[in-house]
Structures are given as C-alpha cells and as structure tokens.
Amino acid sequence: MNRSNDSTHASFDSHATLSIQRFFAAPPERVWRYLIDPALRRQWLADGAMPAHVGESFELIWRNDELSTSAAERPSGFEAEQRMASHVLAFDPPYTLAFSWAGGGQVRFVLEPQPGGVLMTLTHTRIDAEGARV
C-alpha cells in the first residue's frame, strides 16, 4: 500500500485529541483490510481479532519482541506482550471504524474515497503527549 510521507497533516490539540490525515493510493476496501485484518494490522499497530458489530469486545495485542526485524531487544520497560481490552464503537465497512482505547479514549478511522485513492482521517481522543508521540 502506498502512502504519503507528508507529515504536515497531523495535529494535537489541548483537549488531548490527535488527528492525522493520510492519502493512500488504494481503494477504501484495501485500506479497510489493514484496519480489521489482524495479520495486516499487526504490521503497523497491534494483533487481535476485530469483531464486526458495534458493542462487541476485543483485545489489541502488542508483541513487543516483534516490533522490528532487527536483532535489537525490545524497548526497556516493555513486557514481551501487552494487551488492551477494547469495544467496537462504530463499524461501517469500508468507511468508518471506531473503538475504545485505554483511559476512556477512542480511536476513529474515517476513509473518504478520493480520485486515485482514499483519504484516511484518524482521530484519537483522550491521548496524552507520550501516546501522541508514538
């Protein structure tokens, strides 16, 4: 999947909301698969089966030893595996996915078809500056 390297499409406001926009030269259905397919999602975020219905629970699973293909050890202070319980808040394939995040936050992905691809807007609410850095 091709993506823009332009980092000017992100903002972090005083209300602990991070918004990022990226254009992908791919149809919405392909980008959608990277949000819901655990094997594809783990390449950029976390593993874990994604239910297809609002209100259903799931876990995001980070396997910190797999963060890099190098022989480097995982970052200090991180367990080999971390899990986060979440709930699906919105599920409208292939355009909108939202789920709860630790600490009362929420992550929402909105995919808007554009000529030649799709514009993805990711909005993460109630995120601290450390989380935004990630």
Side-chain angles (χ1 to χ4, degrees):
M1 181 165 43
N2 296 326
R3 68 177 180 85
S4 167
N5 289 324
D6 185 353
S7 62
T8 62
H9 300 291
S11 65
F12 182 66
D13 70 21
S14 61
H15 301 291
T17 298
L18 172 69
S19 294
I20 300 171
Q21 286 193 314
R22 293 289 182 268
F23 178 80
F24 295 94
E29 295 79 9
R30 182 170 182 207
V31 177
W32 181 259
R33 286 193 306 270
Y34 277 83
L35 299 177
I36 64 164
D37 182 314
L40 296 174
R41 188 178 353 94
R42 74 185 283 183
Q43 295 176 28
W44 65 274
L45 180 63
D47 203 345
M50 176 66 64
H53 300 288
V54 172
E56 289 192 37
S57 299
F58 69 100
E59 277 190 317
L60 290 172
I61 305 163
W62 287 267
R63 293 186 177 93
N64 293 314
D65 288 335
E66 299 174 4
L67 292 176
S68 173
T69 56
S70 74
E73 294 181 25
R74 69 176 171 266
S76 64
F78 287 86
E79 299 294 325
E81 183 175 284
Q82 294 176 277
R83 293 174 175 258
M84 183 180 75
S86 295
H87 293 84
V88 176
L89 303 172
F91 195 91
D92 180 23
Y95 304 109
T96 305
L97 172 67
F99 51 86
S100 62
W101 195 266
Q106 175 184 132
V107 176
R108 177 174 295 270
F109 299 90
V110 176
L111 304 179
E112 298 176 60
Q114 304 279 315
V118 63
L119 179 66
M120 180 184 77
T121 301
L122 179 156
T123 305
H124 191 154
T125 61
R126 296 189 66 181
I127 185 171
D128 61 20
E130 178 66 18
R133 187 177 65 81
V134 172

